[in-house]
Amino acid sequence: MFDISIRHLKQRITHFLWEADPGHLHLRQGIRTLLAAIITLLLCYWPGLYTRVLACFAAGLVCQGISGITIHSQKITFAIAAIALLLYFSLVSFVSPYPLAIAIVIICASFSVFALRALGPRYALFPLFIWIMGFITTLLPNISGVAFIMRLGCIALGCVISFFIYFYVLPPRPLSYFFENIRYFVILVHARSLALEQQLHQPDAFRGKEKHSFKLRRSLRKYYLHNQTILTSFDVVSSVRKDYLLSLLTTHYLAGKALLMLQDNLITLAHSALIEEVKIKTALRQSLKDLSVFTRNISVNARAGKVVLIDKTITYPKSFDTLKELLEQSSLNVEDLVPLYQFINSLNELCDRLCAFTKEPSHAQ
């Protein structure tokens, strides 16, 4: 019992962290920066305190602001940032003894930082961090000769350490996170189905309907946009594989849209006269329960990059047919049945999209 509680708590924490930061992009970036600074500090143990501080600072700063559509372009941006950092540090160190010269350099660099933004997203952030590095350099005692060479070497070592940590120890946006997002999306459908079913038990169902819609839209947007970013930034060599991933991304978008429509249609249905009929309300609750159970039949293997049905004989819950029969057998006017008709359509649409996740083309195996 205790193990089950611990496991459930761990799942809730993991899901909360992923919901707050899909792919752990910001968390991984923070770990990269911290790890690069610590390793640089441990390796550069022989120089003075100021040299070690600058080396750690450089290792952390060069991790920040790296952008690019592909991993290759990110490596180019990293190289440009590292070289520019070393050159600007050398320039600031050289003119530091001359107050007028250092003032001119800092002012010119300040304007250059903002002018470089016009060159594109690649130059949006890292020039600012390089400027910060140069400004901090002016606050420390000036050095020359062998001490300068040693400080420059330690900063270069920090950049090299940061490069390996950024691209090889904790590489950005691995493709497995694409499928991990799909897995969490399926979990979201499962949790949302149960939450909607529980709302139908309430005397005043969906009292805070704006809150429900906002939360769902925010979660759907996070998962989809993160998957879109992953797909555009990951170098997929096989065109067949990329077509498969694009189809999954399209399915992801359409499934999210279907889930949103399902919730909206259910809210409309819950505020109509149809909800007063016991058979319809019971069938609605059962269909939402069955939908949540059906999501457990979808298995997402992030490492293998596959989405499959555990039991391929199960495609649609039987309660969906029950709702359809109630709709066909009802003696009410067509106008009164529109909310139920729309809900059934969105329910079938969502189920179709969930099944589409598992229909990988045979040639993409």
Side-chain angles (χ1 to χ4, degrees):
M1 186 66 180
F2 181 73
D3 292 339
I4 296 175
S5 300
I6 293 295
R7 186 165 62 252
H8 181 67
L9 179 62
K10 182 180 178 181
Q11 290 174 350
R12 287 180 63 89
I13 292 174
T14 304
H15 188 268
F16 172 78
L17 290 175
W18 194 276
E19 177 74 14
D21 182 18
H24 303 313
L25 293 183
H26 300 293
L27 180 62
R28 288 167 67 84
Q29 184 73 325
I31 293 174
R32 285 192 199 109
T33 304
L34 185 61
L35 196 59
I38 291 175
I39 293 176
T40 302
L41 182 63
L42 293 176
L43 292 180
C44 298
Y45 59 88
W46 71 91
L49 174 62
Y50 294 138
T51 297
R52 283 180 287 168
V53 168
L54 281 177
C56 293
F57 203 70
L61 279 182
V62 80
C63 275
Q64 307 296 324
I66 303 303
S67 62
I69 296 177
T70 64
I71 300 298
H72 177 69
S73 65
Q74 288 184 11
K75 288 182 178 179
I76 294 176
T77 305
F78 200 103
I80 294 173
I83 293 172
L85 178 68
L86 294 173
L87 291 176
Y88 187 60
F89 166 76
S90 301
L91 176 63
V92 170
S93 298
F94 178 73
V95 300
S96 187
Y98 312 102
L100 180 59
I102 192 63
I104 293 173
V105 168
I106 290 179
I107 292 172
C108 291
S110 301
F111 283 102
S112 299
V113 165
F114 295 99
L116 286 171
R117 290 175 180 268
L119 299 178
R122 171 180 287 176
Y123 302 92
L125 286 177
F126 80 79
L128 176 61
F129 296 132
I130 292 174
W131 183 89
I132 293 173
M133 179 70 180
F135 181 76
I136 292 176
T137 302
T138 62
L139 301 179
L140 301 180
N142 186 49
I143 56 173
S144 59
V146 176
F148 168 76
I149 299 298
M150 182 179 294
R151 181 170 292 183
L152 185 66
C154 289
I155 292 174
L157 177 61
C159 293
V160 172
I161 292 170
S162 184
F163 177 85
F164 279 100
I165 290 175
Y166 191 96
F167 291 105
Y168 297 102
V169 178
L170 291 170
R173 293 183 289 273
L175 192 57
S176 62
Y177 283 150
F178 182 91
F179 290 91
E180 209 44 44
N181 267 319
I182 293 177
R183 186 173 75 86
Y184 274 100
F185 170 73
V186 174
I187 293 175
L188 176 66
V189 177
H190 171 80
R192 181 59 56 173
S193 303
L194 291 178
L196 293 175
E197 190 272 333
Q198 290 173 1
Q199 278 292 319
L200 291 177
H201 285 283
Q202 303 298 326
D204 186 10
F206 304 105
R207 182 170 50 187
K209 57 182 180 180
E210 292 81 8
K211 180 181 178 182
H212 289 280
S213 297
F214 174 75
K215 280 187 174 181
L216 183 57
R217 287 178 187 275
R218 183 179 60 184
S219 297
L220 293 175
R221 187 173 185 273
K222 280 184 179 180
Y223 292 145
Y224 174 75
L225 288 181
H226 185 232
N227 264 2
Q228 190 179 46
T229 303
I230 289 173
L231 194 56
T232 55
S233 63
F234 190 86
D235 297 319
V236 182
V237 178
S238 171
S239 59
V240 174
R241 183 66 172 168
K242 190 161 189 176
D243 288 342
Y244 169 57
L245 295 175
L246 282 170
S247 69
L248 283 181
L249 184 65
T250 303
T251 301
H252 188 170
Y253 172 77
L254 294 175
K257 186 177 179 182
L259 178 59
L260 194 60
M261 290 298 297
L262 174 74
Q263 177 174 274
D264 291 344
N265 290 333
L266 182 62
I267 292 174
T268 302
L269 183 58
H271 289 88
S272 69
L274 290 171
I275 203 67
E276 301 299 329
E277 296 190 22
V278 178
K279 287 185 178 180
I280 291 179
K281 191 171 184 178
T282 303
L284 284 174
R285 289 204 300 259
Q286 189 60 46
S287 66
L288 291 169
K289 285 181 181 178
D290 290 346
L291 177 61
S292 68
V293 172
F294 176 73
T295 57
R296 294 192 177 277
N297 191 39
I298 301 172
S299 174
V300 182
N301 190 329
R303 291 189 177 183
K306 290 184 177 180
V307 187
V308 297
L309 284 175
I310 298 174
D311 186 353
K312 294 183 179 181
T313 62
I314 301 175
T315 54
Y316 285 91
K318 293 181 179 179
S319 58
F320 291 11
D321 295 329
T322 304
L323 273 176
K324 187 177 179 181
E325 290 173 2
L326 288 173
L327 176 67
E328 294 172 347
Q329 296 171 5
S330 179
S331 58
L332 295 175
N333 295 328
V334 175
E335 293 80 3
D336 297 329
L337 293 172
V338 168
L340 180 57
Y341 173 77
Q342 291 176 334
F343 174 78
I344 294 174
N345 277 348
S346 57
L347 193 63
N348 288 322
E349 175 72 11
L350 177 57
C351 203
D352 284 339
R353 298 305 175 185
L354 291 174
C355 290
F357 276 128
T358 67
K359 293 178 182 177
E360 180 178 355
S362 57
H363 55 269
Q365 296 285 348

